[in-house]
C-alpha cells in the first residue's frame, strides 16, 4: 500500500471531510491520528470504522486553537510513532454573519481555529519534519477564501490566510523536500453545509458548473494525492475541488 509505514495526523477527523480523509489515508496504509475537539463519539466512530476495515488509527483530543495543547499533541505523536509524515489541517468552523452584525467574538473564533490553528500545527509539525527531512502538509482552505462569500468575511479571511500561509511555508521548507499544499473545496455535503438554508443551497448549486455539491470522498481523494509521493514535484499549490465553481 502506497502509505504503508507512514504516520498521518488529521485535525478535525471526527466528522465530515476530516473523517473521509482519515479513512482514506488509513485505507492506503498510513497510521492515522484522528484529532478532534468536542465530538468524542464521532471520533471513536471514525476510529472503529478504520479498524473494522483493517486500518490503524488512534485519537487525540485537543483544540487546534490552543497552542500549548497542539505542541503537546505533536510531541506525543512524534514520541509514540517516531515520525510525522503527513499533516492534514482540516479542522474548521463557521460563524456566518453580515459584517454590520458580526461580533468581534465571531470574527476571532473563526480566525483562531481556521488560521491560527494551522499556524500552531504547522509550526510544531515542521520541527519534526525538518528532523526527518521529509513530510507533506495539506491545508484545507475553501473556495470562499478565493472568491469571497457574502456573510463570511471572517471565514473567507481565514481561508485566504491559509493560502498565504501554505505558499510561504512551502517556500520555507522546500529545501528539505517537505511539501506544503492546499485544497480549496467548493460546496461539499457535510454538517457544515446542512446548516445552510434551502435558498442558499439552490443559489450555491446554480454557481457550480456540475450543478451539484461534492462528496467528502471527492475531497479526500485530492488530499491523499497531495499527501502521497504521486505529488512529489508539487508544493505551494492550491487545488480547487469545487465542481468548476471557481474557474
Ligand atoms: P464539519 O463541521 O462537518 O467538521 C468540522 C471538523 O472540525 C470536526 O471534526 C470538528 O471536530 C473539527 N474542529 C472544529 N473546531 C476544532 C478545533 N478547535 N480543534 C480541533 N478540531 C476542530 O466541517 P466540514 O467537514 O464540512 O469541513 C472540514 C474543513 O473543510 C473545514 O476546514 C472547512 O472550513 C472546510 N471546507 C468545507 C466545505 C464544505 O462545503 N463542507 C467547503 C470548503 C471548505 P469536533 O466536532 O470534535 O469539534
Amino acid at each position: 500500500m502506497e502509505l504503508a509505514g507512514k504516520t498521518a495526523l488529521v485535525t478535525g477527523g471526527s466528522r465530515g471531510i476530516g473523517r473521509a480523509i482519515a479513512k482514506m489515508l488509513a485505507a492506503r496504509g498510513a497510521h492515522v491520528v484522528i484529532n478532534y475537539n468536542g465530538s468524542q463519539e464521532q471520533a471513536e466512530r471514525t476510529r472503529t470504522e478504520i479498524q473494522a476495515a483493517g486500518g490503524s488509527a488512534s485519537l487525540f483530543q485537543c483544540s487546534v486553537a490552543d497552542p500549548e495543547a497542539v505542541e503537546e499533541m505533536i510531541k506525543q505523536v512524534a514520541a509514540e510513532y517516531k515520525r510525522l509524515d503527513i499533516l492534514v489541517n482540516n479542522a474548521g468552523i463557521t460563524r456566518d454573519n453580515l459584517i454590520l452584525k458580526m461580533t468581534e467574538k465571531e470574527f476571532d473564533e473563526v480566525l483562531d481555529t481556521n488560521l491560527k490553528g494551522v499556524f500552531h500545527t504547522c509550526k510544531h509539525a515542521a520541527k519534526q519534519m525538518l528532523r526527518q527531512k521529509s513530510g507533506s502538509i495539506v491545508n484545507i482552505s475553501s473556495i470562499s477564501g478565493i472568491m469571497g462569500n457574502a456573510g463570511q468575511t471572517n471565514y473567507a479571511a481565514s481561508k485566504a490566510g491559509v493560502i498565504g500561509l501554505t505558499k510561504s511555508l512551502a517556500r520555507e521548507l522546500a529545501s528539505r523536500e517537505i511539501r506544503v499544499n492546499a485544497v480549496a473545496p467548493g460546496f461539499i455535503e457535510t454538517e457544515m453545509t446542512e446548516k445552510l438554508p434551502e435558498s442558499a443551497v439552490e443559489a450555491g448549486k446554480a454557481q457550480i458548473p456540475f450543478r451539484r455539491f461534492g462528496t467528502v470522498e471527492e475531497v479526500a481523494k485530492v488530499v491523499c494525492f497531495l499527501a502521497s509521493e504521486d505529488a512529489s514535484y508539487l508544493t505551494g499549490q492550491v487545488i480547487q475541488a469545487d465542481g468548476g465553481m471557481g474557474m
Side-chain angles (χ1 to χ4, degrees):
M1 277 189 285
E2 60 183 297
L3 300 179
K6 306 269 187 203
T7 299
L9 170 61
V10 181
T11 70
S14 51
R15 9 187 215 105
I17 294 172
R19 168 182 282 155
I21 294 168
K23 287 173 70 173
M24 209 172 276
L25 289 170
R28 294 178 188 201
H31 171 82
V32 181
V33 180
I34 301 159
N35 158 260
Y36 67 100
N37 188 25
S39 307
Q40 188 180 341
E41 245 176 65
Q42 302 251 54
E44 282 169 0
R45 193 186 122 193
T46 308
R47 179 178 58 183
T48 304
E49 287 177 3
I50 287 174
Q51 290 171 341
S56 172
S58 51
L59 303 181
F60 199 103
Q61 187 284 327
C62 88
S63 169
V64 294
D66 178 341
E68 283 88 26
V70 169
E71 183 173 8
E72 190 51 37
M73 171 168 71
I74 308 260
K75 261 192 198 156
Q76 284 197 27
V77 170
E80 195 165 343
Y81 304 101
K82 311 294 173 224
R83 31 192 323 109
L84 176 57
D85 302 288
I86 297 163
L87 166 66
V88 181
N89 280 304
N90 163 81
I93 58 169
T94 50
R95 298 283 184 269
D96 295 357
N97 222 337
L98 295 171
I99 199 159
L100 295 186
K101 292 185 185 162
M102 188 173 288
T103 62
E104 203 167 330
K105 185 167 179 277
E106 286 168 338
F107 194 88
D108 287 346
E109 279 177 0
V110 169
L111 268 288
D112 284 349
T113 299
N114 297 8
L115 181 56
K116 282 187 82 180
V118 177
F119 164 68
H120 301 317
T121 55
C122 283
K123 181 180 165 92
H124 297 292
K127 238 180 256 170
Q128 175 61 27
M129 289 177 174
L130 283 167
R131 253 182 246 132
Q132 298 167 190
K133 295 193 178 63
S134 70
S136 175
I137 298 175
V138 184
N139 297 325
I140 306 298
S141 176
S142 166
I143 192 69
S144 287
I146 295 170
M147 295 176 72
N149 194 18
Q152 290 198 317
T153 49
N154 51 358
Y155 183 78
S158 72
K159 294 299 188 179
V162 165
I163 292 174
L165 188 156
T166 299
K167 293 185 177 191
S168 302
L169 190 58
R171 290 183 185 277
E172 285 187 25
L173 300 180
S175 64
R176 306 290 179 92
E177 294 279 330
I178 299 164
R179 299 180 296 104
V180 190
N181 292 290
V183 177
F187 284 100
I188 307 299
E189 290 166 354
T190 66
E191 285 171 39
M192 193 176 262
T193 45
E194 264 170 30
K195 287 188 243 160
L196 292 173
E198 193 49 39
S199 57
V201 170
E202 287 316 310
K205 284 185 184 165
Q207 292 180 65
I208 306 168
F210 278 172
R211 296 282 184 264
R212 66 170 177 88
F213 285 5
T215 65
V216 291
E217 287 77 19
E218 285 173 319
V219 178
K221 280 185 213 166
V222 182
V223 172
C224 286
F225 163 67
L226 288 173
S228 78
E229 280 304 300
D230 287 345
S232 57
Y233 203 53
L234 269 68
T235 199
Q237 301 304 305
V238 183
I239 299 190
Q240 293 178 211
D242 64 0
M245 185 178 167
M247 69 177 150

